[in-house]
């Protein structure tokens, strides 16, 4: 069975509504079990986040950006994580949904769970960052570890999954694998090839730093080469897959030239392993394209084929002028040469050999 969370209020209201509406328009909800999930409790949030940080979010639940204080800035709130009314309620809802879906994997009720409104990979123990107010991914992984001895985290967002990597930097129970753009000045500025973890977690952080313009074929080949060896060396028992849609061509914050099929092929590869798998959202700032991708990935998880003509529904006008599901990647220079990719893969293979 398959599960995902019905969206509530958020600062990404339009994105959330588009995603849910398109999945509904294609009739996929009738083929999934939909959970209305309880918010995370303070105790659950504090399995990763500091008490001071969670207490601050709760105490300022009714505040907005006009109430920004020096203390708020110390917790990373402000510029890219503005304070808004209902902030704590929103954090609790997102975290609660990812935890609830993870629980269905722990209990064995299902093999694939989905929460497209989760995937907040930048948040740290006591800090919001990059539009992420809590790290629902870390919370979900910690819950999965109560049953599964080894959890593999894969991040397809164009931005490095820094918060998740940092949380498990010293652990050999979680391997983090992030495919992302890495260049000077590009957020968050972490995720170099040489970032590999430390102590017991040395070689359990795998980073695949990419450049602008990578295409479907090269991305898919790189993904398959890395992930097949990760599977062989690490032998995961459960998987968390963050499907950030800002890796798609046309995203205003992204620089890759990927299509739904390109990212979808990577998702399909993981699903073919038939391990307990949690699919999460993440970045995605071209909202119609984000809805396209996550609807497509939902169909892949359900084994459904989708018509390329988008069904008419409440948000149909957002998909003009062609009203098609699939997008055509932009014609952009690919700065990732095969020789650079080969060098990258060779280095990663050498490190995985030490796992």
């Amino acid at each position: 069975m398959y599960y995902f969370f019905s969206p509530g209020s958020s600062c990404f209201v339009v994105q959330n509504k588009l995603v849910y509406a398109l999945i509904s328009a294609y009739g996929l909800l009738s083929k999934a079990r939909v959970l209305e999930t309880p918010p995370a409790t303070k105790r659950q949030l504090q399995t990763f986040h500091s008490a001071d940080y969670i207490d601050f979010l709760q105490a300022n639940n009714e505040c907005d950006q006009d109430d920004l204080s020096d203390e708020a800035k110390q917790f990373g709130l402000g510029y890219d994580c503005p304070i808004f009314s209902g902030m704590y309620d929103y954090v609790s809802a997102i975290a609660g949904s990812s935890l609830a879906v993870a629980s269905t994997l722990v209990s064995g009720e299902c093999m694939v769970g989905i929460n497209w409104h989760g995937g907040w990979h930048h948040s740290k123990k006591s800090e919001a960052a990059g539009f992420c107010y809590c790290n629902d991914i870390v919370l979900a992984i910690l819950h999965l570890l109560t049953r599964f001895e080894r959890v593999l985290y894969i991040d397809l967002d164009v931005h490095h999954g820094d918060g998740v990597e940092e949380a498990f930097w010293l652990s050999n129970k979680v391997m983090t694998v992030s495919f992302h753009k890495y260049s000077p000045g590009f957020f968050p500025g972490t995720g170099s090839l040489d970032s590999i973890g430390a102590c017991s977690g040395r070689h359990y952080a795998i980073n695949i730093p990419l450049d602008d313009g990578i295409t479907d074929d090269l991305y898919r080949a790189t993904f398959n080469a890395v992930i097949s060896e990760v599977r062989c060396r690490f032998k995961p028992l459960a998987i968390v897959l963050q499907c950030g849609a800002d890796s798609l061509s046309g995203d205003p914050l992204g620089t890759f030239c990927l299509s739904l099929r390109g990212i979808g092929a990577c998702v399909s590869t993981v699903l073919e392993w038939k391990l307990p798998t949690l699919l999460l959202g993440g970045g995605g700032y071209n909202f119609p394209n984000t809805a396209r991708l996550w609807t497509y990935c939902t169909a892949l998880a359900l084994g459904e084929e989708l018509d390329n003509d988008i069904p008419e529904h409440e948000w149909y006008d957002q998909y003009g002028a062609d009203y098609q599901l699939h997008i055509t990647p932009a014609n952009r220079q690919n700065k990732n040469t095969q020789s650079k990719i080969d060098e990258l893969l060779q280095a990663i293979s050498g490190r995985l050999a030490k796992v």
Side-chain angles (χ1 to χ4, degrees):
M1 289 186 286
Y2 303 83
Y3 301 74
F4 64 58
F5 170 66
S6 301
S9 60
S10 79
C11 55
F12 282 90
V13 169
V14 173
Q15 182 205 65
N16 292 352
K17 287 185 176 180
L18 260 66
V19 171
Y20 193 74
L22 190 59
I23 290 171
S24 300
Y26 271 106
L28 296 175
L29 287 182
S30 64
K31 305 177 189 305
R33 178 180 170 187
V34 181
L35 292 181
E36 293 289 345
T37 61
T41 64
K42 283 184 68 174
R43 184 174 182 178
Q44 287 176 315
L45 292 170
Q46 289 173 14
T47 57
F48 172 61
H49 292 289
S50 70
D52 286 349
Y53 178 60
I54 297 303
D55 286 344
F56 183 85
L57 293 181
Q58 187 175 41
N60 289 271
N61 190 50
E62 302 302 325
C63 298
D64 57 32
Q65 191 68 359
D66 292 336
D67 302 307
L68 187 64
S69 64
D70 290 339
E71 185 180 9
K73 294 175 184 177
Q74 292 176 2
F75 289 122
L77 298 166
Y79 173 62
D80 58 0
C81 290
I83 295 176
F84 61 94
S85 181
M87 177 173 57
Y88 178 79
D89 294 337
Y90 181 46
V91 165
S92 300
I94 295 297
S97 59
S98 291
L99 284 167
V101 178
S103 291
T104 66
L105 302 179
V106 168
S107 67
E109 293 177 62
C110 74
M111 288 294 288
V112 179
I114 303 174
N115 178 22
W116 294 131
H117 307 300
W120 290 10
H121 60 170
H122 294 308
S123 179
K124 311 294 175 55
K125 187 178 185 69
S126 299
E127 182 183 352
F131 311 123
C132 303
Y133 294 81
C134 73
N135 203 311
D136 65 293
I137 304 172
V138 172
L139 295 171
I141 291 174
L142 289 172
H143 189 45
L144 291 172
L145 285 170
T146 62
R147 177 183 174 189
F148 305 105
E149 186 178 358
R150 294 181 303 280
V151 176
L152 172 61
Y153 173 68
I154 307 170
D155 194 312
L156 303 182
D157 199 287
V158 76
H159 301 96
H160 177 232
D162 57 333
V164 184
E165 179 182 276
E166 181 179 303
F168 298 106
W169 187 250
L170 306 179
S171 174
N172 60 6
K173 302 297 184 184
V174 178
M175 179 171 281
T176 60
V177 183
S178 180
F179 298 80
H180 53 269
K181 176 178 174 176
Y182 179 73
S183 67
F186 191 76
F187 184 86
T190 53
S192 73
L193 180 62
D194 295 327
S195 295
I196 60 173
C199 299
S200 296
R202 186 171 174 81
H203 304 301
Y204 285 82
I206 306 297
N207 285 295
I208 303 87
L210 302 168
D211 210 335
D212 295 345
I214 193 165
T215 58
D216 283 349
D217 289 345
L218 189 55
Y219 188 88
R220 185 167 56 243
T222 304
F223 179 88
N224 287 338
V226 172
I227 289 300
S228 62
E229 190 161 2
V230 163
R231 184 188 185 190
C232 178
R233 299 287 184 179
F234 182 59
K235 296 179 174 56
L237 299 176
I239 301 167
V240 176
L241 178 56
Q242 197 262 26
C243 305
D246 48 12
S247 288
L248 284 173
S249 179
D251 191 275
L253 298 187
T255 62
F256 292 171
C257 288
L258 302 180
S259 71
L260 273 63
R261 292 187 177 94
I263 297 176
C266 299
V267 173
S268 291
T269 294
V270 173
L271 292 173
E272 287 167 3
W273 296 357
K274 307 231 177 263
L275 292 172
T277 301
L278 174 58
L279 300 180
L280 297 173
Y285 308 97
N286 179 322
F287 292 164
N289 282 356
T290 298
R292 285 178 165 104
L293 176 64
W294 293 346
T295 298
Y296 182 64
C297 290
T298 301
L300 292 175
L302 290 166
E304 296 290 323
E305 295 282 341
L306 298 182
D307 195 304
N308 195 37
D309 291 327
I310 289 177
E312 292 189 18
H313 64 289
E314 180 184 4
W315 296 91
Y316 184 66
D317 63 319
Q318 298 293 309
Y319 300 95
D322 62 0
Y323 303 98
Q324 301 288 294
L325 177 66
H326 289 280
I327 64 171
T328 301
N331 185 15
R332 182 173 191 160
Q333 180 187 4
N334 184 0
K335 296 182 179 179
N336 302 271
T337 65
Q338 187 62 59
S339 61
K340 287 182 180 179
I341 294 295
D342 289 342
E343 290 176 8
L344 186 64
L345 294 177
Q346 184 177 10
I348 291 170
S349 181
R351 283 159 190 175
L352 283 170
K354 299 174 183 178
V355 169

